[in-house]
Amino acid sequence: MMGMLNLVLTNISRKPATRLYPFEIREPFKEFKGRIVFNPENCILCGLCQKKCPPDAITVTKANKTWELNVFRCIMCTECVKGCPKGCLSVSNERAKTGAKEFIKIAVPIVDKPKAPKAAPSK
Amino acid sequence: MTTIIPFGPQHPVLPEPVSLKLEIDNDVVVGVLPSLGYVHRGLETFINTKDFNQTTYVCERICGICSALHGITYTRAVEKLFDTEIPERAQYIRVIVGELNRLHSHLLWLGLFADGFGFESLFYECWKYREEVLDVAERICGNRVIHSISKVGGVTKDLTKEHIDMLLKMCDSLEPEIKNVEKVFVNNYTVKQRLVGLATMSKQVAYEAGTAGPTLRGSGNAIDVRETADWDIYKDLGFKTAVEKDGDCYARTKVRITELLNSLTIIRNAISKMPDGEIETRIKGFPTGEAIMRTEQPRGEVVYYVKGNGTKKLERLKVRTPTFANIPSLLLMLPGVKLADVPIVVLTIDPCVSCTER
């Protein structure tokens, strides 16, 4: 009986174990794998991310110069991030937004950078 | 006169669909006919389209609760196929994550079990403690349930000092909480009235039916793959198999609670003995031959068979999951049980139907 009273008093005095979601949102942990972030600047369209992706969520089209990620297919294994030779891909700890049509496929056009002029051969 | 009553596939106590046709005579079960196959996904055939590295992610998705241990067993099987040793630190990390998996699985089961016999506050209490484990797993692996820590040749992530402090803190806070829960499960009058002497299975019957895991150990058989199989690392971690002799639902519950405390001991000892160094060995080439690997999951022993044919894809993957081994014992336990106790007896083997059907 005394043990139960102790438990009741503890439960009255302490904070609730739950949060008032969505007004109170927990900050994501820094290690949390939330979504894939693509930086098109250095992409060379090698297609290694597409080859490594287990659920075939990434499509690299060389002809159109686009990089696409199907967010609903992505399982956040981060194999593409580890496999990218140019470091274009990274993981953000923010959650991927789902439900909206535009987030089903994210196609990023890759623009050719102007080639740097060759240095004149030294004499 | 007997009546046939369907139990499942949708039932409040069942998280996943399994159908049992119960033959009832005067409110007592006299016969059972199981029916499986509602969530069959064909994962064993699906791996023919993926290479052996990608198959790790497929194997982790066989079961959501013991996902890390599925991945670890698969990668250990492929490493055996390559005849490669992985760094010791990687093995310790696998053990720690595997035990985290066991902790959250057992706490989940204890909650579901308490809910099964109508003790809802105990259900919330168990799941509240499970959250602590999931938070730690999220900070170590990046995900709460699908941990993806193991890869062929080692592990994907190293444990930092911050992670180790967090693990030790979790062990310290979880131990008194588990002991509190243990007091209720072991001493509470209502719980004992529901569980003691229910669906008793003798030591010999449990052994002969091929039962695995806590169901087997609850009947007095001290068989745990962590001690007996070829994963040497467990032998140094001060681990003692949890055994109960009675063979009833109460004994199986006590085994699982003891295993929770064992897991905390294993995590603490693994942290203290974990060496520094590499976490990965580079594996090149394509596997040939065949290998079998066994690991102790929360529900029991899982067996992985892999066969390589010299290409980047495996020719065959076969998984024998603990629930598959426990279904015959369930069919032996149910006759003689009252209809109202059937949900408790079904829950007591911790059924994971998506594991069984893959």
Side-chain angles (χ1 to χ4, degrees), chain B residues 5-6 22 30 33 101 173 184 201 219 297 308 310 332 334 349:
Chain B
I5 292 183
L22 304 170
V30 290
L33 188 69
N101 223 298
S173 72
V184 183
M201 192 166 50
S219 295
Q297 276 188 345
L332 291 172
L334 277 172
I349 66 157

Side-chain angles (χ1 to χ4, degrees), chain A residues 7 11 14 17 19 26 28-34 50-56 75-79 82 95, chain B residues 46 50-51 53-54 57 61 125 128 135-136 138-144 146-148 151 156-157 160 162-163:
Chain A
L7 192 69
N11 279 336
R14 77 176 169 200
R19 271 178 226 99
R26 192 198 71 185
F29 297 125
K30 68 173 193 258
E31 298 92 345
F32 173 61
K33 292 192 275 189
Q50 185 184 349
K51 271 184 196 166
K52 291 210 167 190
C53 182
D56 302 331
I75 56 168
M76 287 308 303
C77 63
T78 64
E79 280 292 308
K82 289 168 209 154
R95 277 184 191 282
Chain B
F46 179 66
K50 301 288 164 198
D51 69 36
N53 281 317
Q54 291 174 337
Y57 299 105
R61 276 149 186 85
E125 201 73 7
K128 192 175 79 184
D135 279 353
V136 172
E138 188 178 344
R139 292 187 67 178
I140 292 175
C141 313
N143 276 330
R144 282 161 65 81
I146 307 283
H147 298 325
S148 300
K151 65 184 277 192
T156 52
K157 282 193 174 180
T160 59
E162 206 178 51
H163 291 149

Side-chain angles (χ1 to χ4, degrees), chain B residues 333-347:
Chain B
M333 280 190 277
L334 277 172
V337 168
K338 281 186 181 172
L339 181 59
D341 290 332
V342 170
I344 296 177
V345 181
V346 173
L347 272 180

Side-chain angles (χ1 to χ4, degrees), chain B residues 74-348:
Chain B
Y74 167 74
T75 45
R76 286 182 66 219
V78 175
E79 281 152 16
K80 195 175 174 186
L81 205 63
F82 277 105
D83 201 14
T84 319
E85 277 286 311
I86 67 159
E88 212 173 336
R89 187 175 175 84
Q91 292 201 33
Y92 274 97
I93 294 172
R94 281 182 183 179
V95 165
I96 290 168
V97 176
E99 291 308 316
L100 280 179
N101 223 298
R102 193 182 315 279
L103 275 173
H104 95 77
S105 172
H106 279 345
L107 283 168
L108 176 131
W109 179 83
L110 284 169
L112 286 179
F113 195 53
D115 192 36
F117 54 69
F119 205 148
E120 288 211 4
S121 60
L122 191 56
F123 157 59
Y124 288 123
E125 201 73 7
C126 293
W127 278 44
K128 192 175 79 184
Y129 302 147
R130 180 174 173 255
E131 277 301 305
E132 290 180 33
V133 185
L134 289 180
D135 279 353
V136 172
E138 188 178 344
R139 292 187 67 178
I140 292 175
C141 313
N143 276 330
R144 282 161 65 81
V145 176
I146 307 283
H147 298 325
S148 300
I149 193 79
S150 193
K151 65 184 277 192
V152 178
V155 288
T156 52
K157 282 193 174 180
D158 200 359
L159 288 186
T160 59
K161 195 179 174 300
E162 206 178 51
H163 291 149
I164 287 168
D165 292 344
M166 197 173 57
L167 275 165
L168 291 173
K169 202 176 155 191
M170 181 207 76
C171 289
D172 291 343
S173 72
L174 213 57
E175 194 166 0
E177 286 165 351
I178 291 171
K179 282 182 178 165
N180 271 341
V181 169
E182 185 184 14
K183 271 184 210 164
V184 183
F185 272 107
V186 175
N187 301 329
N188 189 289
Y189 176 77
T190 322
V191 177
K192 276 170 102 172
Q193 285 293 311
R194 280 310 292 273
L195 303 183
V196 174
L198 180 63
T200 310
M201 192 166 50
S202 71
K203 186 177 178 180
Q204 188 65 20
V205 171
Y207 187 78
E208 283 173 2
T211 316
T215 318
L216 178 67
R217 291 193 285 277
S219 295
N221 296 287
I223 299 171
D224 192 319
V225 183
R226 287 179 287 177
E227 270 197 342
T228 54
D230 51 353
W231 202 354
D232 295 335
I233 229 146
Y234 269 107
K235 286 169 190 161
D236 311 328
L237 295 177
F239 156 72
K240 202 179 169 198
T241 309
V243 194
E244 292 288 334
K245 287 177 186 169
D246 299 339
D248 54 359
C249 291
Y250 186 60
R252 279 166 230 140
T253 315
K254 282 203 282 187
V255 166
R256 285 195 171 91
I257 294 170
T258 317
E259 281 190 7
L260 283 173
L261 297 169
N262 276 348
S263 291
L264 295 180
T265 315
I266 291 171
I267 291 174
R268 281 197 190 111
N269 290 345
I271 286 170
S272 66
K273 291 185 179 177
M274 188 164 62
D276 291 333
E278 292 289 311
I279 57 161
E280 194 186 332
T281 311
R282 199 131 185 233
I283 290 183
K284 279 186 176 177
F286 301 121
T288 50
E290 47 189 355
I292 284 183
M293 186 52 71
R294 302 188 295 155
T295 310
E296 188 73 21
Q297 276 188 345
R299 296 180 170 91
E301 174 189 343
V302 66
V303 184
Y304 265 73
Y305 165 80
V306 287
K307 186 180 180 189
N309 55 0
T311 63
K312 67 178 182 179
K313 289 168 188 167
L314 289 177
E315 191 177 313
R316 183 83 173 94
L317 169 79
K318 173 78 188 143
V319 190
R320 198 211 64 163
T321 56
T323 308
F324 184 75
N326 283 337
I327 283 178
S329 65
L330 177 70
L331 303 184
L332 291 172
M333 280 190 277
L334 277 172
V337 168
K338 281 186 181 172
L339 181 59
D341 290 332
V342 170
I344 296 177
V345 181
V346 173
L347 272 180
T348 198

